[in-house]
C-alpha cells in the first residue's frame, strides 16, 4: 500500500493502545474487513507524532479474492479522512516494506509568511536567513556520517550511521523546502538537521557552519536545535 496522511491529529505511525496512529487506524479497518485473519501491517518506517506522509509504504499478508481497487475502496471506506490509501500492488511474499527499501526521501517546509490555512503544515519563521549558508550546511550532510548527536537518544539502536544521497535547500516563492534522501533515518534526525541549519542561517546565529561540520565529524555538540514536526513530510520510499 502507498499511503498518504495528515499527521496533525495522529500520534505517529506506530500503533498505540491509547492514541490514534496511522498503523492503528489501518489495522482496525483491516480487522473489520478480514474478520478471521491475522492482521500485521508492516510500515517502511515510523513517522513521529505530527509528521505527514505523501508516500508512506506498508505491506500485509492477506488471503482475499478482492482485486487491488476493491481492496483500496474497502480500506478507505473504513478509515478517517486524514488517512488515505493511494495505491496498492500485489508483491512477492518475501517483500518487506521496511527491509526491502533501499532509499527514503523526506522534505521539510518552512514559510516566512504566516497563513491560517497552512499553519499546521509548515514551520512559520519570521527570522532572516541565508540560503547560501543553508546549502553550505546541506552539502556537508552528503555521504556517510554517524548521526548519534543529531537524533533522539535510543540505546536500542546501535548503528547510527546513515548514507545521505541528496541534501539541498530551494526557495519557492515564500517557502523554503529542504530535500533529503538517505538509505535510512534515525528518530528525529531530519528535524535536528533542519533545526541546526536554520539556526546557523539566522542573522544572529549562535553556531557556525564550521561548528556544524565538526558535529557531523563526531565533535560533541554544545547546542542542539530541533524543528517542529508539522513541517516534515515522508515523500517517497524507493525499492529495487
Amino acid at each position: 500500500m502507498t499511503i498518504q496522511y495528515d499527521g496533525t491529529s495522529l500520534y505517529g505511525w506506530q500503533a498505540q493502545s491509547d492514541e490514534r496512529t496511522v498503523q492503528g487506524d489501518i489495522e482496525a479497518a483491516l480487522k473489520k474487513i478480514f474478520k478471521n485473519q491475522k492482521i500485521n501491517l508492516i510500515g517502511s518506517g515510523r513517522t513521529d507524532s505530527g509528521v505527514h506522509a505523501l508516500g508512506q509504504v506498508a505491506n500485509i499478508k492477506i488471503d482475499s479474492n478482492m482485486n487491488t481497487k476493491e481492496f483500496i475502496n474497502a480500506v478507505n471506506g473504513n478509515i478517517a479522512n486524514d488517512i488515505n490509501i493511494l495505491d496498492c500492488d500485489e508483491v512477492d511474499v518475501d517483500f518487506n516494506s521496511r527491509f526491502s527499501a533501499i532509499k527514503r526521501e523526506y522534505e521539510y517546509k518552512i514559510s516566512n509568511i504566516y497563513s491560517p490555512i497552512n499553519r499546521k503544515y509548515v514551520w512559520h519563521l519570521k527570522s532572516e536567513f541565508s540560503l547560501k549558508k543553508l546549502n553550505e550546511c546541506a552539502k556537508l550532510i552528503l555521504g556517510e556520517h554517524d548521526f548519534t548527536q543529531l537524533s533522539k537518544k535510543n540505546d536500542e539502536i546501535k548503528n547510527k550511521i546513515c548514507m545521505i544521497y541528496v541534501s539541498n535547500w530551494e526557495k519557492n516563492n515564500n517557502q523554503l523546502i529542504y530535500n533529503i534522501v538517505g538509505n535510512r533515518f534515525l528518530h528525529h534526525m531530519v528535524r535536528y538537521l533542519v533545526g541546526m541549519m536554520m539556526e546557523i542561517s539566522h542573522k544572529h546565529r549562535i553556531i557556525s557552519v564550521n561548528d556544524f561540520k565538526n558535529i557531523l565529524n563526531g565533535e560533541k555538540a554544545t547546542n542542539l536545535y530541533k524543528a517542529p514536526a508539522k513541517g516534515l513530510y515522508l515523500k517517497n520510499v524507493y525499492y529495487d
Side-chain angles (χ1 to χ4, degrees), residues 1-5 44-45 47 52-58 86-87 97 101-108 165 178-185 232-239:
M1 286 172 271
T2 303
I3 308 161
Q4 192 172 87
Y5 48 88
S44 69
T47 51
H52 316 291
L54 303 173
Q56 171 70 283
V57 176
L86 295 178
D87 196 10
S97 294
I102 56 171
K103 292 189 294 186
R104 295 160 175 86
E105 178 178 6
Y106 282 87
E107 70 177 21
Y108 196 98
Y165 306 106
Y178 177 58
N179 301 289
I180 184 167
V181 178
N183 66 333
R184 62 196 288 262
F185 289 90
L232 182 59
Y233 298 76
L234 172 57
K235 189 174 181 181
N236 279 306
V237 184
Y238 297 91
Y239 299 90

Side-chain angles (χ1 to χ4, degrees), residues 123-137:
W123 182 16
H124 174 234
L125 277 178
K126 289 183 179 179
S127 309
E128 293 182 29
F129 61 86
S130 165
L131 186 60
K132 181 182 176 183
K133 276 197 167 55
L134 284 173
N135 273 314
E136 279 182 50
C137 291

Side-chain angles (χ1 to χ4, degrees), residues 192-230:
Y192 272 115
L193 289 172
V194 170
M196 294 292 282
M197 286 188 280
M198 288 308 299
E199 184 61 34
I200 292 164
S201 76
H202 287 177
K203 190 175 181 180
H204 304 292
R205 64 188 183 277
I206 296 172
I207 56 176
S208 68
V209 174
N210 197 55
D211 294 331
F212 185 62
K213 181 179 181 180
N214 291 337
I215 292 167
L216 285 168
N217 289 331
E219 188 173 299
K220 189 167 179 59
T222 53
N223 295 290
L224 287 173
Y225 302 89
K226 183 170 69 173
K230 62 183 179 179

Side-chain angles (χ1 to χ4, degrees), residues 49-238:
S49 177
V51 174
H52 316 291
L54 303 173
Q56 171 70 283
V57 176
N59 71 280
I60 189 166
K61 294 177 183 177
I62 287 289
D63 183 12
S64 173
N65 291 323
M66 288 183 182
N67 61 38
T68 54
K69 185 176 180 180
E70 290 168 338
F71 180 87
I72 291 170
N73 290 338
V75 178
N76 284 339
N78 282 281
I79 53 178
N81 60 9
D82 53 359
I83 304 172
N84 187 58
I85 312 301
L86 295 178
D87 196 10
C88 179
D89 291 299
E90 290 185 32
V91 291
D92 292 337
V93 73
D94 59 352
F95 176 87
N96 183 293
S97 294
R98 180 183 174 190
F99 296 115
S100 299
I102 56 171
K103 292 189 294 186
R104 295 160 175 86
E105 178 178 6
Y106 282 87
E107 70 177 21
Y108 196 98
K109 296 181 180 181
I110 296 171
S111 178
N112 61 2
I113 294 180
Y114 175 77
S115 164
I117 305 301
N118 68 7
R119 72 191 188 282
K120 297 178 181 178
Y121 309 106
V122 300
W123 182 16
H124 174 234
L125 277 178
K126 289 183 179 179
S127 309
E128 293 182 29
F129 61 86
S130 165
L131 186 60
K132 181 182 176 183
K133 276 197 167 55
L134 284 173
N135 273 314
E136 279 182 50
C137 291
K139 191 174 180 180
L140 294 173
I141 296 167
L142 291 168
E144 192 173 80
H145 299 280
D146 185 332
F147 289 94
T148 299
Q149 292 192 80
L150 294 164
S151 61
K152 186 177 180 180
K153 182 177 171 58
N154 186 343
D155 293 332
E156 292 180 9
I157 299 174
K158 303 302 180 185
N159 178 18
K160 306 291 179 68
I161 295 173
C162 305
M163 173 63 76
I164 304 302
Y165 306 106
V166 174
S167 174
N168 60 61
W169 288 88
E170 58 185 42
K171 195 170 187 297
N172 185 5
N173 296 322
N174 296 312
Q175 276 197 357
L176 264 178
I177 300 174
Y178 177 58
N179 301 289
I180 184 167
V181 178
N183 66 333
R184 62 196 288 262
F185 289 90
L186 306 174
H187 201 190
H188 291 181
M189 176 177 150
V190 179
R191 292 171 61 191
Y192 272 115
L193 289 172
V194 170
M196 294 292 282
M197 286 188 280
M198 288 308 299
E199 184 61 34
I200 292 164
S201 76
H202 287 177
K203 190 175 181 180
H204 304 292
R205 64 188 183 277
I206 296 172
I207 56 176
S208 68
V209 174
N210 197 55
D211 294 331
F212 185 62
K213 181 179 181 180
N214 291 337
I215 292 167
L216 285 168
N217 289 331
E219 188 173 299
K220 189 167 179 59
T222 53
N223 295 290
L224 287 173
Y225 302 89
K226 183 170 69 173
K230 62 183 179 179
L232 182 59
Y233 298 76
L234 172 57
K235 189 174 181 181
N236 279 306
V237 184
Y238 297 91

